[in-house]
Amino acid sequence: MPNASSPPAAPVARRLLLTCALLSGVAVSWDPSLAAAAGPLAHYAGIHPLNPHMGAFCVIEVPHVHAEWPPDIRVYRTLPNKTQVFVGDPVALGYDGPTQTYFGPHPLVFHDLSPAETIYCYLRGPHHHTQPPEPPASFVKKDGVNWFVGTFPPEFDRDYSRNDWINEVRGIGTYQPPKVDIAAAPPGYHLPAVLDTQAVVPVVAPAANGGAAGGKKSRKPGGAVTPVTPPPPPSKGVGKASKPADKVSGAAPAGNPAP
Amino acid sequence: MRGTRLRHRLPPVVVMAAFCALLAGGCRRKHIDGTVAVDAVLSAWGAKGFTTTEIKSIEPDAWSAGACSRGPLAELDVLMCEYAADETLVVGDGKIVKDWEQDGVATGVVVRNGRTLLAIADTKKIDASGRTIMRLIEAFRAAR
């Protein structure tokens, strides 16, 4: 029979363990240096929006590291060495520094990467980048807008389907893309051929009375069809691949042609 | 015969001056010829309004360098090392990032100006936008 004068050991041990756990939690939460947790760091090539892509920006223009990984990889390209390269429209996501205006897809050169990398931007309409147009001879600047009049290599077409999702990213707040449309393009400008091969399906408006007798299926005048953007490919690269909710309503999609 | 003992005694004022110089970190920093001097970078930062008095010479062996200085600046951790050879600079560069992976850092950047390496670490998320870090980098890159 247990000795009634001595308390049982198990509850005491549990209380001791709980106390130690609580104290550890307090120590961790009080130590400001642990705000930056140890572990694999995300390598960034240059400037990029800060999590959660609601306007804050990291303006470090050279390769650097953060503890936080990108929350939306649609606006990044992940290099073989896992470096995250921001290829989106910085103004659309809150950047307020100097930029250049572009229309349509074009090459983007990152000189601070070793070796220097040329990456293709797949934004289809007017947008911004901090990089100047390169190579300069392949661009025509007209009314402040850079138009790529060079040749797209085979890898541009090859990588199109897994990078086109960048056009789904919406700008924050009241962002509006530059007011430029393709009618203003200089002679010799053409969109890449791969952009013309989107799947198209007829759009049939639903019957007004649910298909009852006498109802007609309506079609758009002239049998017009609406292009359907292929669904985004599965998430790739490192970091979280969550698609952020659309930003403040009314904000224009970054990179889409102005209405 | 009683031997003579020469007593050399430095004047007190000289002793005090040397002591004060040591305290203020005023000992001339070791410098590797052919590299951008840490002192030149500190002067450039001082001209930009940064207080650099806390950056002191440290033992460089851990980073395979010839000379290193380290200290807090604008609540960031700054490390600068001068290298006699590119090969050792690459080793030092790699070690810095490896240490950050082990110890944790909110933001870290390593840049070079010739064979002088600058590493800036923000462990407290003081400079989330990186604006202060970029000011330091621009002055570092412009130093000769």
Side-chain angles (χ1 to χ4, degrees), chain B residues 7-96:
Chain B
R7 288 183 176 202
H8 295 278
R9 296 184 81 178
L10 288 170
V13 66
V14 174
V15 172
M16 285 303 294
F19 184 64
C20 288
L22 275 172
L23 272 183
C27 285
R28 190 179 297 278
R29 275 174 225 273
K30 186 178 176 191
H31 171 60
I32 305 301
D33 285 342
T35 67
V36 174
V38 167
D39 283 333
V41 177
L42 296 181
S43 291
W45 287 344
K48 297 269 181 201
F50 292 103
T51 301
T52 62
T53 49
E54 296 299 307
I55 298 179
K56 313 284 190 208
S57 294
I58 57 170
E59 183 58 48
D61 291 352
W63 296 278
S64 307
C68 286
S69 296
R70 186 176 193 171
L73 190 151
E75 297 194 74
L76 302 167
D77 178 40
V78 166
L79 169 70
M80 264 192 291
C81 291
E82 298 171 16
Y83 290 82
D86 289 335
E87 295 78 19
T88 45
L89 184 149
V90 169
V91 172
D93 188 331
K95 182 179 186 316
I96 290 168

Side-chain angles (χ1 to χ4, degrees), chain A residues 37-43 65, chain B residues 96-105:
Chain A
L41 297 171
H43 292 244
V65 297
Chain B
I96 290 168
V97 177
K98 198 171 170 187
D99 287 349
W100 286 340
E101 302 249 2
Q102 274 184 319
D103 303 335
V105 68

Side-chain angles (χ1 to χ4, degrees), chain A residues 4-116:
Chain A
S5 63
S6 61
V12 169
R14 274 202 294 273
R15 275 201 292 272
L16 196 59
L17 275 172
L18 184 60
T19 307
C20 288
L22 280 170
L23 284 174
S24 304
V26 168
V28 166
S29 63
W30 273 39
D31 186 346
S33 69
L34 292 175
L41 297 171
H43 292 244
Y44 292 85
I47 70 161
H48 61 92
L50 289 168
N51 297 5
H53 289 196
M54 290 297 288
F57 234 86
C58 171
V59 299
I60 299 176
E61 297 168 7
V62 298
H64 58 280
V65 297
H66 289 294
E68 291 188 349
W69 290 78
D72 183 1
I73 62 168
R74 292 177 298 175
V75 293
Y76 288 90
R77 209 63 52 78
T78 303
L79 299 183
N81 65 2
K82 305 288 188 269
T83 296
Q84 306 295 321
V85 185
F86 175 67
V87 294
D89 182 339
V91 178
L93 295 177
Y95 182 71
D96 59 3
T99 56
Q100 298 257 358
T101 304
Y102 291 83
F103 189 100
H106 59 90
L108 264 179
V109 181
F110 293 83
H111 287 287
D112 279 321
L113 296 175
S114 179

Side-chain angles (χ1 to χ4, degrees), chain A residues 45-253:
Chain A
I47 70 161
H48 61 92
L50 289 168
N51 297 5
H53 289 196
M54 290 297 288
F57 234 86
C58 171
V59 299
I60 299 176
E61 297 168 7
V62 298
H64 58 280
V65 297
H66 289 294
E68 291 188 349
W69 290 78
D72 183 1
I73 62 168
R74 292 177 298 175
V75 293
Y76 288 90
R77 209 63 52 78
T78 303
L79 299 183
N81 65 2
K82 305 288 188 269
T83 296
Q84 306 295 321
V85 185
F86 175 67
V87 294
D89 182 339
V91 178
L93 295 177
Y95 182 71
D96 59 3
T99 56
Q100 298 257 358
T101 304
Y102 291 83
F103 189 100
H106 59 90
L108 264 179
V109 181
F110 293 83
H111 287 287
D112 279 321
L113 296 175
S114 179
E117 290 273 351
T118 296
I119 286 171
Y120 287 88
C121 165
Y122 287 86
L123 285 167
R124 296 206 205 124
H127 59 279
H128 306 89
H129 291 293
T130 56
Q131 293 91 338
E134 218 171 321
S138 296
F139 285 84
V140 169
K141 190 155 191 171
K142 186 180 174 217
D143 299 328
V145 179
N146 295 293
W147 304 80
F148 179 64
V149 296
T151 306
F152 288 93
E155 51 264 34
F156 177 88
D157 290 6
R158 179 196 66 200
D159 297 341
Y160 159 77
S161 64
R162 54 171 186 250
N163 291 303
D164 187 50
W165 61 358
I166 195 174
N167 290 287
E168 301 169 8
V169 177
R170 304 187 82 85
I172 62 162
T174 55
Y175 170 74
Q176 292 290 332
K179 294 211 183 317
V180 184
D181 66 44
I182 199 164
Y189 179 78
H190 59 90
L191 284 171
V194 69
L195 295 187
D196 297 330
T197 59
Q198 298 176 71
V200 291
V201 293
V203 173
V204 178
N209 56 1
K216 285 185 181 178
K217 278 188 181 175
S218 58
R219 285 183 175 271
K220 283 192 167 187
V225 296
T226 302
V228 171
T229 304
S235 304
K236 287 177 292 302
V238 296
K240 297 177 188 173
S242 57
K243 181 176 174 179
D246 280 349
K247 310 299 182 191
V248 174
S249 60

